Amino acid sequence: MTRHEEQGDTGGPGGRRPRALRIAGLTLAGTLVLGAATAGWAYRHLDRNIRSVDINSALGDDRPAPATPSTSASPLPTGSLNILVLGSDSRSGKANRELGGGDSGGARSDTAMVVHLDAGRTRATVVSIPRDTLVTRPSCPLSSGGSTAPAYGAMFNSAYEVGGPVCAVKTVESLTGVRMDHYLEIDFSGFAKLVDALGGVDVTTTEDIDDDRSHLHLAAGTHHLGGEQALALARTRHGIGDGSDLGRIGLQQMLVKDLLEQLSGAGLLTDPAKLYQVADAVTAGLTTDTGLDSLNELVGLGRSLRGLTADRVRTVTMPVVTAPSDPNRVVAEEPQAGRLWASLR
């Protein structure tokens, strides 16, 4: 027996090293194929999660002009953008009902924010519109045909209830004179799942919160909240301040900034599993306009916001005063509200 035969030939064509390399190569190739297939499945799954509404076709040209008309086929112009973001209980289903949502026939918009992104996408202004604001609700087209009747002195959040996203956008544009370039809506369960996917969110309250309606009871201080508690915080109003919608808006704005901080520190780019979990949570509860209704378009928007950090996000509330007709309602305070909206055009 030769020395090579005694020790095992690790270099010949039939030896262990080539065989091991072949096995390793086949394993690597199989892993890459499986990874590509898994990635393809994940992409299709996330893409199918997204629901959309063709708001541009529904509203036509009877709306404010875009602040930055697009000169390309891209749905994301290079200038500033205004995005209407709604939080709603619009989707029926067990998860939403368990979190206090309604069915698809009783949909409401609990939260309304106009997000203005500057041309460089490094700063943002988030303007909250109180849902108790009395507005002139314009006539809105219905997907079933026909249109809603205009209404005067209507609750702002009734627009979504009577005409869905299209009427919500048209009412905001009528109120502000500002074109909404895009529309994003996330439902109750989607929001709660997002917070849970991020591992919860840290919030600091300056006063005790004791609200039996939202089932939220927190002492003043810093707390780590899971998804259900974070949703309760975003919805609570009766356990803080004077119980008005303005107190709730303050909590929502704080929560937005805290979530931005959580997202920036979550290490999503180095943790594919967590990135997928977060993306699945977001897209499963998401409705957009047709300009953002694919994963590619949402990723494009996200990439354009790489330089946006929480300290560069300004949160404000539309200036309001008590409505003369109802002490439990508010109306836009002029000329302050008009000046605010003009700054976003």
Side-chain angles (χ1 to χ4, degrees):
M1 180 178 291
T2 67
R3 183 169 54 87
H4 287 296
E5 290 173 326
E6 289 174 345
Q7 298 177 353
D9 188 349
T10 60
R16 294 177 184 174
R17 182 179 298 169
R19 187 162 54 249
L21 290 175
R22 283 199 300 272
I23 293 172
L26 289 172
T27 302
L28 177 59
T31 301
L32 291 174
V33 170
L34 180 60
T38 302
W41 175 87
Y43 179 91
R44 289 190 296 273
H45 173 73
L46 295 175
D47 205 49
R48 285 195 298 265
N49 273 349
I50 305 165
R51 301 185 186 184
S52 66
V53 178
D54 193 350
I55 290 172
N56 286 339
S57 293
L59 294 183
D61 296 327
D62 184 22
R63 55 195 306 207
T68 308
S70 179
T71 57
S72 71
S74 170
L76 297 173
T78 54
S80 62
L81 278 181
N82 290 302
I83 304 173
L84 176 60
V85 178
L86 293 187
S88 77
D89 63 351
S90 65
R91 294 186 187 180
S92 60
K94 181 180 178 181
N96 273 320
R97 287 194 296 271
E98 288 178 348
L99 292 169
D103 59 30
S104 57
R108 299 174 296 269
S109 56
D110 262 24
T111 305
M113 296 178 174
V114 174
V115 179
H116 174 79
L117 303 172
D118 72 359
R121 309 294 165 82
T122 57
R123 295 190 178 277
T125 300
V126 179
V127 184
S128 297
I129 303 175
R131 70 175 193 172
D132 294 340
T133 305
L134 298 182
V135 300
T136 296
R137 193 181 69 223
S139 174
C140 301
L142 297 172
S143 58
S144 58
S147 59
T148 65
Y152 304 94
M155 283 266 289
F156 168 75
N157 71 339
S158 70
Y160 187 98
E161 191 170 4
V162 302
V166 170
C167 199
V169 169
K170 187 164 186 180
T171 300
V172 169
E173 291 184 344
S174 175
L175 172 67
T176 66
V178 178
R179 170 76 166 243
M180 296 297 108
D181 299 294
H182 290 293
Y183 172 83
L184 290 173
E185 173 193 330
I186 189 164
D187 66 18
F188 285 178
S189 63
F191 178 81
K193 288 176 181 176
L194 168 62
V195 174
D196 283 336
L198 287 170
V201 61
D202 294 321
V203 300
T204 300
T205 62
T206 58
E207 59 180 297
D208 295 344
I209 298 176
D210 190 18
D211 189 349
D212 289 332
R213 298 194 188 189
S214 66
H215 309 292
L216 185 66
H217 304 278
L218 294 176
T222 299
H223 304 272
H224 186 77
L225 305 183
E228 191 169 341
Q229 278 189 304
L231 177 63
L233 181 67
R235 301 188 68 203
T236 194
R237 65 185 289 181
H238 298 285
I240 55 169
D242 60 2
S244 73
D245 196 38
L246 299 179
R248 171 166 55 187
I249 284 174
L251 293 176
Q252 291 171 348
Q253 292 174 343
M254 174 191 71
L255 192 53
V256 166
K257 288 201 169 187
D258 289 339
L259 280 173
L260 284 174
E261 292 280 5
Q262 190 75 9
L263 277 166
S264 64
L268 299 182
L269 296 180
T270 59
D271 189 342
K274 189 170 186 178
L275 176 60
Y276 173 78
Q277 187 179 7
V278 170
D280 191 37
V282 171
T283 56
L286 196 66
T287 301
T288 73
D289 67 282
T290 49
L292 287 177
D293 64 351
S294 76
L295 201 56
N296 278 343
E297 288 159 342
L298 286 174
V299 169
L301 176 61
R303 285 175 176 165
S304 75
L305 302 178
R306 284 192 299 264
L308 183 63
T309 54
D311 62 320
R312 294 180 175 182
V313 176
R314 181 172 69 111
T315 55
V316 297
T317 302
M318 181 183 76
V320 294
V321 294
T322 302
S325 60
D326 187 341
N328 296 315
R329 302 288 180 259
V330 296
V331 293
E333 182 180 15
E334 299 298 352
Q336 292 92 326
R339 286 199 291 262
L340 172 62
W341 297 124
S343 71
L344 306 186
R345 295 187 188 121

